[in-house]
Amino acid sequence: MPLMDSSLLRNSTPFTLGPLPNLLNKTQKCRHSLSSLSLPTNSHKHLFMRRSGSSSGPRNDVTFDEAAYEAERLSLDAKAREEMAETSKIETQESGVAEDPKAWKWVIRKRIWDMMEARNIAQNPRPVHHRIPNFVGAAAAADKLGGLEVFRVGNCVKVNPDSPQKQVRFLTLSDEKKLLTPQPRLRTGFFSVLESHMLTPSTIKEACTSVGVAKYGRAIGLDEKIKVDLIVIGSVAVDPRTGARLGKGEGFAELEYGMLRFMGAIDDSTPVVTTVHDSQLVDDIPIEKLLVHDVPVDIICTPTQVIFTNTSIPKPQGIYWDKLSPEKLGQIRILRELKRRIEEETGQKLPCGPSEKLPPTARRGR
Protein backbone atom coordinates (compact mmCIF):
# COMPACT_ATOMS: atom_id res chain seq x y z
CA MET A 1 0.00 0.00 0.00
CA PRO A 2 1.42 3.45 -0.91
CA LEU A 3 2.46 6.06 1.58
CA MET A 4 -0.19 8.42 2.91
CA ASP A 5 -1.45 10.98 0.43
CA SER A 6 -0.78 14.39 1.90
CA SER A 7 -4.30 15.46 0.88
CA LEU A 8 -5.64 13.27 3.68
CA LEU A 9 -3.80 15.11 6.42
CA ARG A 10 -5.23 17.74 8.72
CA ASN A 11 -3.26 20.56 7.15
CA SER A 12 -4.88 19.96 3.78
CA THR A 13 -7.83 21.82 2.37
CA PRO A 14 -10.76 19.51 3.05
CA PHE A 15 -13.34 18.68 0.41
CA THR A 16 -16.87 19.36 1.55
CA LEU A 17 -19.93 20.53 -0.27
CA GLY A 18 -20.03 23.90 1.45
CA PRO A 19 -16.80 25.52 0.23
CA LEU A 20 -17.34 24.69 -3.44
CA PRO A 21 -18.47 27.93 -5.07
CA ASN A 22 -20.42 26.28 -7.89
CA LEU A 23 -22.27 23.95 -5.54
CA LEU A 24 -22.96 26.12 -2.50
CA ASN A 25 -26.37 27.52 -3.41
CA LYS A 26 -27.56 24.31 -5.01
CA THR A 27 -26.41 22.31 -2.03
CA GLN A 28 -28.27 24.58 0.37
CA LYS A 29 -31.36 24.15 -1.81
CA CYS A 30 -30.87 20.39 -1.67
CA ARG A 31 -30.53 20.47 2.09
CA HIS A 32 -33.86 22.24 2.45
CA SER A 33 -35.58 19.95 -0.02
CA LEU A 34 -34.71 16.78 1.86
CA SER A 35 -38.32 16.40 2.91
CA SER A 36 -38.65 14.56 -0.38
CA LEU A 37 -35.91 12.17 0.67
CA SER A 38 -37.88 9.00 1.18
CA LEU A 39 -36.18 7.00 3.89
CA PRO A 40 -38.02 4.09 5.48
CA THR A 41 -38.40 4.60 9.21
CA ASN A 42 -39.98 1.34 10.24
CA SER A 43 -39.07 -1.05 7.42
CA HIS A 44 -36.52 -2.86 9.55
CA LYS A 45 -38.53 -2.79 12.75
CA HIS A 46 -41.51 -4.50 11.15
CA LEU A 47 -39.35 -7.55 10.45
CA PHE A 48 -39.28 -8.16 14.20
CA MET A 49 -42.98 -7.64 14.91
CA ARG A 50 -45.11 -10.64 15.74
CA ARG A 51 -48.78 -10.98 16.56
CA SER A 52 -49.89 -12.02 19.99
CA GLY A 53 -53.18 -12.70 21.73
CA SER A 54 -55.29 -15.51 23.07
CA SER A 55 -55.89 -18.58 20.99
CA SER A 56 -59.66 -18.01 21.17
CA GLY A 57 -59.61 -14.39 20.05
CA PRO A 58 -58.31 -12.40 17.09
CA ARG A 59 -54.55 -11.84 17.07
CA ASN A 60 -54.59 -8.09 16.64
CA ASP A 61 -51.99 -7.10 19.21
CA VAL A 62 -48.52 -6.66 17.74
CA THR A 63 -45.43 -7.00 19.90
CA PHE A 64 -41.74 -6.47 19.21
CA ASP A 65 -39.81 -9.72 18.86
CA GLU A 66 -36.87 -8.88 21.08
CA ALA A 67 -35.18 -12.27 20.76
CA ALA A 68 -35.14 -12.17 16.96
CA TYR A 69 -33.86 -8.60 16.90
CA GLU A 70 -31.07 -9.27 19.41
CA ALA A 71 -30.05 -12.50 17.67
CA GLU A 72 -29.62 -10.69 14.36
CA ARG A 73 -27.80 -7.76 16.01
CA LEU A 74 -25.33 -10.06 17.77
CA SER A 75 -24.73 -12.03 14.59
CA LEU A 76 -24.00 -8.92 12.56
CA ASP A 77 -21.87 -7.51 15.36
CA ALA A 78 -19.77 -10.68 15.42
CA LYS A 79 -19.30 -10.53 11.64
CA ALA A 80 -18.28 -6.87 11.83
CA ARG A 81 -15.70 -7.57 14.53
CA GLU A 82 -14.27 -10.43 12.48
CA GLU A 83 -13.96 -8.07 9.53
CA MET A 84 -12.22 -5.43 11.65
CA ALA A 85 -9.80 -8.03 12.99
CA GLU A 86 -8.96 -9.10 9.45
CA THR A 87 -8.61 -5.48 8.32
CA SER A 88 -6.21 -4.73 11.16
CA LYS A 89 -4.06 -7.70 10.10
CA ILE A 90 -4.04 -6.53 6.50
CA GLU A 91 -3.07 -2.98 7.40
CA THR A 92 -0.39 -3.83 9.97
CA GLN A 93 1.17 -7.01 8.58
CA GLU A 94 0.88 -7.13 4.82
CA SER A 95 1.96 -3.54 4.21
CA GLY A 96 4.03 -2.94 7.31
CA VAL A 97 3.44 -0.46 10.09
CA ALA A 98 5.88 2.07 8.67
CA GLU A 99 4.20 2.22 5.25
CA ASP A 100 0.49 1.97 5.93
CA PRO A 101 -1.21 5.27 6.84
CA LYS A 102 -3.71 3.55 9.15
CA ALA A 103 -1.44 0.98 10.75
CA TRP A 104 -0.32 3.21 13.64
CA LYS A 105 -3.94 3.46 14.82
CA TRP A 106 -4.27 -0.31 15.05
CA VAL A 107 -1.05 -0.53 17.07
CA ILE A 108 -2.47 1.84 19.69
CA ARG A 109 -5.87 0.17 19.69
CA LYS A 110 -4.38 -3.29 20.22
CA ARG A 111 -2.20 -2.02 23.05
CA ILE A 112 -5.21 -0.55 24.86
CA TRP A 113 -7.43 -3.60 24.29
CA ASP A 114 -4.70 -5.98 25.46
CA MET A 115 -3.96 -3.86 28.52
CA MET A 116 -7.60 -3.60 29.57
CA GLU A 117 -8.05 -7.35 29.34
CA ALA A 118 -4.77 -8.12 31.10
CA ARG A 119 -5.49 -5.72 33.98
CA ASN A 120 -9.13 -6.84 34.19
CA ILE A 121 -10.31 -3.28 33.62
CA ALA A 122 -12.57 -4.59 30.88
CA GLN A 123 -16.22 -5.38 31.48
CA ASN A 124 -18.74 -7.32 29.43
CA PRO A 125 -19.11 -7.68 26.55
CA ARG A 126 -15.70 -9.34 26.44
CA PRO A 127 -13.23 -9.62 24.95
CA VAL A 128 -13.17 -5.87 24.33
CA HIS A 129 -11.04 -6.19 21.20
CA HIS A 130 -12.59 -4.49 18.17
CA ARG A 131 -15.18 -2.77 20.36
CA ILE A 132 -15.60 0.54 22.11
CA PRO A 133 -14.43 -1.13 25.33
CA ASN A 134 -16.70 -1.30 28.34
CA PHE A 135 -14.71 -0.57 31.48
CA VAL A 136 -14.79 -0.70 35.25
CA GLY A 137 -16.12 2.63 36.48
CA ALA A 138 -18.12 3.46 33.32
CA ALA A 139 -21.10 4.55 35.44
CA ALA A 140 -18.86 6.83 37.53
CA ALA A 141 -17.46 8.42 34.37
CA ALA A 142 -21.03 8.93 33.15
CA ASP A 143 -21.93 10.62 36.41
CA LYS A 144 -18.99 13.00 35.92
CA LEU A 145 -20.43 13.83 32.50
CA GLY A 146 -23.88 14.30 34.02
CA GLY A 147 -22.47 17.03 36.26
CA LEU A 148 -21.16 19.09 33.34
CA GLU A 149 -22.83 22.41 32.65
CA VAL A 150 -23.05 21.58 28.92
CA PHE A 151 -25.02 18.45 29.80
CA ARG A 152 -27.31 20.11 32.34
CA VAL A 153 -28.35 22.93 29.99
CA GLY A 154 -28.62 20.76 26.87
CA ASN A 155 -32.01 19.68 25.53
CA CYS A 156 -30.88 17.11 22.95
CA VAL A 157 -27.90 14.81 23.44
CA LYS A 158 -26.49 12.49 20.80
CA VAL A 159 -24.97 9.40 22.45
CA ASN A 160 -23.22 6.47 20.81
CA PRO A 161 -24.92 3.07 21.30
CA ASP A 162 -22.02 1.25 22.97
CA SER A 163 -22.09 -0.46 26.39
CA PRO A 164 -19.82 1.95 28.34
CA GLN A 165 -22.13 4.86 27.48
CA LYS A 166 -25.32 3.10 28.62
CA GLN A 167 -25.42 5.15 31.84
CA VAL A 168 -25.07 8.35 29.81
CA ARG A 169 -28.15 7.37 27.82
CA PHE A 170 -29.98 6.63 31.06
CA LEU A 171 -29.06 10.01 32.55
CA THR A 172 -30.18 11.75 29.36
CA LEU A 173 -33.63 10.17 29.45
CA SER A 174 -33.98 10.45 33.23
CA ASP A 175 -33.29 14.18 32.96
CA GLU A 176 -36.13 14.44 30.42
CA LYS A 177 -33.81 15.30 27.57
CA LYS A 178 -34.13 14.13 24.00
CA LEU A 179 -31.80 11.19 23.27
CA LEU A 180 -30.48 10.81 19.75
CA THR A 181 -28.69 7.55 19.07
CA PRO A 182 -27.55 5.95 15.79
CA GLN A 183 -29.09 2.75 14.57
CA PRO A 184 -26.59 -0.16 14.58
CA ARG A 185 -23.81 0.63 12.11
CA LEU A 186 -26.31 2.75 10.13
CA ARG A 187 -27.06 -0.46 8.26
CA THR A 188 -30.85 -0.15 8.28
CA GLY A 189 -31.45 3.53 8.79
CA PHE A 190 -30.04 6.61 10.41
CA PHE A 191 -30.84 7.78 13.95
CA SER A 192 -33.51 7.00 16.50
CA VAL A 193 -34.96 9.57 18.89
CA LEU A 194 -36.22 8.73 22.36
CA GLU A 195 -37.92 11.09 24.79
CA SER A 196 -39.13 10.53 28.33
CA HIS A 197 -42.78 11.02 27.37
CA MET A 198 -42.44 7.99 25.08
CA LEU A 199 -41.46 5.85 28.07
CA THR A 200 -42.55 4.86 31.55
CA PRO A 201 -40.30 4.71 34.64
CA SER A 202 -40.16 0.94 34.20
CA THR A 203 -39.04 1.11 30.54
CA ILE A 204 -36.37 3.83 30.71
CA LYS A 205 -33.57 1.37 31.53
CA GLU A 206 -34.64 -0.95 28.73
CA ALA A 207 -34.75 1.99 26.33
CA CYS A 208 -31.03 2.52 26.94
CA THR A 209 -30.20 -0.83 25.31
CA SER A 210 -30.00 -1.62 21.61
CA VAL A 211 -33.20 -3.66 21.82
CA GLY A 212 -34.94 -0.86 23.72
CA VAL A 213 -33.94 1.73 21.14
CA ALA A 214 -35.40 -0.43 18.38
CA LYS A 215 -38.50 -1.13 20.44
CA TYR A 216 -39.32 2.36 21.72
CA GLY A 217 -37.38 4.78 19.53
CA ARG A 218 -38.72 6.89 16.69
CA ALA A 219 -36.59 6.57 13.57
CA ILE A 220 -35.72 9.82 11.80
CA GLY A 221 -34.30 10.75 8.41
CA LEU A 222 -32.01 13.48 7.15
CA ASP A 223 -34.93 15.91 6.73
CA GLU A 224 -35.59 15.96 10.49
CA LYS A 225 -35.36 19.45 11.97
CA ILE A 226 -33.28 18.90 15.06
CA LYS A 227 -30.65 20.77 17.06
CA VAL A 228 -28.12 18.68 18.96
CA ASP A 229 -26.64 20.41 22.01
CA LEU A 230 -24.04 17.83 23.00
CA ILE A 231 -22.32 14.87 21.34
CA VAL A 232 -21.15 11.94 23.46
CA ILE A 233 -18.77 9.67 21.61
CA GLY A 234 -17.11 6.39 22.54
CA SER A 235 -13.33 5.95 22.35
CA VAL A 236 -10.65 3.29 22.47
CA ALA A 237 -7.92 5.82 23.23
CA VAL A 238 -7.82 9.59 23.68
CA ASP A 239 -5.05 12.13 24.23
CA PRO A 240 -5.93 14.58 27.03
CA ARG A 241 -3.36 17.11 25.82
CA THR A 242 -4.75 17.50 22.31
CA GLY A 243 -8.23 15.95 22.25
CA ALA A 244 -7.14 13.49 19.55
CA ARG A 245 -9.25 10.33 19.68
CA LEU A 246 -9.28 6.83 18.24
CA GLY A 247 -12.45 4.79 17.87
CA LYS A 248 -12.67 1.09 17.11
CA GLY A 249 -11.83 1.52 13.45
CA GLU A 250 -15.11 1.34 11.53
CA GLY A 251 -15.48 5.09 10.99
CA PHE A 252 -19.17 5.33 11.83
CA ALA A 253 -18.71 8.05 14.46
CA GLU A 254 -17.13 10.24 11.79
CA LEU A 255 -19.92 9.54 9.31
CA GLU A 256 -22.57 10.29 11.93
CA TYR A 257 -20.84 13.56 12.77
CA GLY A 258 -20.59 14.49 9.09
CA MET A 259 -24.26 13.82 8.45
CA LEU A 260 -25.30 15.86 11.48
CA ARG A 261 -23.19 18.72 10.10
CA PHE A 262 -24.89 18.35 6.74
CA MET A 263 -28.30 18.55 8.44
CA GLY A 264 -27.30 21.72 10.27
CA ALA A 265 -27.95 19.95 13.59
CA ILE A 266 -24.46 20.75 14.91
CA ASP A 267 -21.61 23.15 14.25
CA ASP A 268 -18.07 23.82 15.44
CA SER A 269 -19.35 25.04 18.81
CA THR A 270 -21.21 21.81 19.63
CA PRO A 271 -19.21 20.15 22.44
CA VAL A 272 -17.91 16.62 21.89
CA VAL A 273 -17.42 14.56 25.06
CA THR A 274 -16.07 11.05 25.61
CA THR A 275 -16.15 8.78 28.66
CA VAL A 276 -13.19 6.43 29.14
CA HIS A 277 -11.17 4.70 31.83
CA ASP A 278 -8.10 6.61 33.03
CA SER A 279 -5.91 3.90 31.50
CA GLN A 280 -7.28 4.77 28.06
CA LEU A 281 -5.59 8.17 28.23
CA VAL A 282 -2.55 8.14 25.93
CA ASP A 283 0.13 10.56 24.79
CA ASP A 284 1.20 9.03 21.48
CA ILE A 285 -1.55 9.92 19.00
CA PRO A 286 0.30 11.96 16.34
CA ILE A 287 -2.06 14.79 15.37
CA GLU A 288 -0.13 15.35 12.15
CA LYS A 289 -1.29 11.91 11.00
CA LEU A 290 -4.98 12.41 11.78
CA LEU A 291 -7.28 12.43 8.79
CA VAL A 292 -9.52 15.34 7.92
CA HIS A 293 -12.66 13.49 9.02
CA ASP A 294 -11.33 12.38 12.44
CA VAL A 295 -13.41 13.89 15.25
CA PRO A 296 -11.52 15.42 18.21
CA VAL A 297 -13.04 15.72 21.68
CA ASP A 298 -13.47 18.82 23.84
CA ILE A 299 -14.03 17.09 27.17
CA ILE A 300 -12.92 13.75 28.62
CA CYS A 301 -14.72 12.20 31.59
CA THR A 302 -13.08 9.33 33.46
CA PRO A 303 -14.15 7.71 36.73
CA THR A 304 -11.77 10.04 38.59
CA GLN A 305 -11.56 13.31 36.64
CA VAL A 306 -12.91 15.72 34.05
CA ILE A 307 -10.45 17.02 31.46
CA PHE A 308 -11.07 20.01 29.21
CA THR A 309 -8.74 19.45 26.26
CA ASN A 310 -9.02 22.91 24.67
CA THR A 311 -8.39 21.06 21.43
CA SER A 312 -7.05 22.99 18.48
CA ILE A 313 -7.74 20.15 16.05
CA PRO A 314 -10.30 21.28 13.45
CA LYS A 315 -13.62 19.49 13.51
CA PRO A 316 -14.94 17.91 10.32
CA GLN A 317 -17.12 20.22 8.26
CA GLY A 318 -19.38 17.63 6.69
CA ILE A 319 -19.22 14.47 4.63
CA TYR A 320 -15.95 14.05 2.77
CA TRP A 321 -17.18 12.21 -0.26
CA ASP A 322 -13.73 12.07 -1.83
CA LYS A 323 -12.50 10.08 1.19
CA LEU A 324 -15.44 7.66 1.24
CA SER A 325 -14.61 4.37 -0.44
CA PRO A 326 -17.10 2.64 -2.76
CA GLU A 327 -17.07 -0.31 -0.36
CA LYS A 328 -18.02 1.83 2.64
CA LEU A 329 -20.68 3.65 0.64
CA GLY A 330 -22.07 0.28 -0.36
CA GLN A 331 -22.60 -0.66 3.28
CA ILE A 332 -24.74 2.36 4.18
CA ARG A 333 -28.02 2.83 2.36
CA ILE A 334 -28.77 6.30 3.69
CA LEU A 335 -25.45 7.62 2.38
CA ARG A 336 -26.10 6.17 -1.08
CA GLU A 337 -29.53 7.78 -1.14
CA LEU A 338 -28.13 11.10 0.06
CA LYS A 339 -25.40 11.04 -2.57
CA ARG A 340 -27.92 10.30 -5.31
CA ARG A 341 -30.19 13.12 -4.18
CA ILE A 342 -27.36 15.66 -4.00
CA GLU A 343 -26.19 14.72 -7.48
CA GLU A 344 -29.73 15.08 -8.81
CA GLU A 345 -30.23 18.47 -7.16
CA THR A 346 -26.85 19.92 -8.13
CA GLY A 347 -26.52 18.30 -11.54
CA GLN A 348 -22.92 17.42 -10.70
CA LYS A 349 -21.41 14.10 -9.79
CA LEU A 350 -19.84 13.88 -6.36
CA PRO A 351 -16.32 12.45 -6.14
CA CYS A 352 -15.61 9.02 -4.75
CA GLY A 353 -12.76 7.94 -2.51
CA PRO A 354 -10.19 5.25 -3.25
CA SER A 355 -11.20 1.64 -3.04
CA GLU A 356 -10.56 -0.12 0.26
CA LYS A 357 -8.93 -3.52 0.52
CA LEU A 358 -11.66 -5.22 2.49
CA PRO A 359 -11.42 -8.82 3.67
CA PRO A 360 -13.52 -11.36 1.77
CA THR A 361 -16.06 -11.66 4.63
CA ALA A 362 -16.93 -7.99 4.21
CA ARG A 363 -18.09 -8.54 0.64
CA ARG A 364 -21.35 -10.12 1.63
CA GLY A 365 -24.60 -9.29 -0.11
CA ARG A 366 -26.36 -6.18 1.06
Side-chain angles (χ1 to χ4, degrees), residues 181-349:
T181 190
Q183 296 178 9
R185 292 186 167 85
L186 303 178
R187 60 183 172 79
T188 58
F190 187 35
F191 285 95
S192 292
V193 170
L194 293 100
E195 297 182 69
S196 57
H197 69 80
M198 304 162 63
L199 307 164
T200 66
S202 62
T203 59
I204 285 184
K205 284 189 176 181
E206 183 185 6
C208 299
T209 67
S210 58
V211 170
V213 169
K215 186 174 177 180
Y216 300 110
R218 175 177 66 86
I220 67 169
L222 285 161
D223 57 319
E224 183 88 7
K225 303 301 179 185
I226 192 168
K227 179 182 181 297
V228 176
D229 301 302
L230 179 67
I231 292 176
V232 181
I233 194 169
S235 302
V236 173
V238 62
D239 191 329
R241 303 169 307 160
T242 64
R245 163 203 171 268
L246 297 183
K248 62 180 179 286
E250 287 188 297
F252 285 108
E254 288 75 19
L255 289 173
E256 292 157 11
Y257 187 95
M259 284 187 279
L260 289 174
R261 284 297 292 250
F262 180 88
M263 293 169 66
I266 60 174
D267 56 30
D268 280 337
S269 67
T270 308
V272 179
V273 187
T274 192
T275 62
V276 294
H277 192 272
D278 292 87
S279 64
Q280 292 175 258
L281 302 177
V282 300
D283 61 3
D284 59 343
I285 299 179
I287 60 174
E288 70 276 6
K289 290 186 177 181
L290 293 177
L291 306 185
V292 70
H293 56 262
D294 286 328
V295 180
V297 301
D298 300 292
I299 306 172
I300 304 168
C301 294
T302 79
T304 66
Q305 59 186 319
V306 174
I307 302 168
F308 293 84
T309 68
N310 298 311
T311 183
S312 61
I313 300 171
K315 290 177 179 173
Q317 299 299 299
I319 301 169
Y320 295 82
W321 298 100
D322 60 339
K323 315 303 181 195
L324 194 62
S325 73
E327 291 81 5
K328 197 68 174 179
L329 190 65
Q331 291 178 340
I332 306 172
R333 181 179 58 191
I334 194 170
L335 273 180
R336 297 196 301 274
E337 179 66 12
L338 175 59
K339 185 174 187 286
R340 180 180 68 81
R341 288 282 180 170
I342 291 174
E343 290 176 340
E344 287 181 357
E345 290 285 342
T346 63
Q348 299 188 41
K349 188 173 180 61

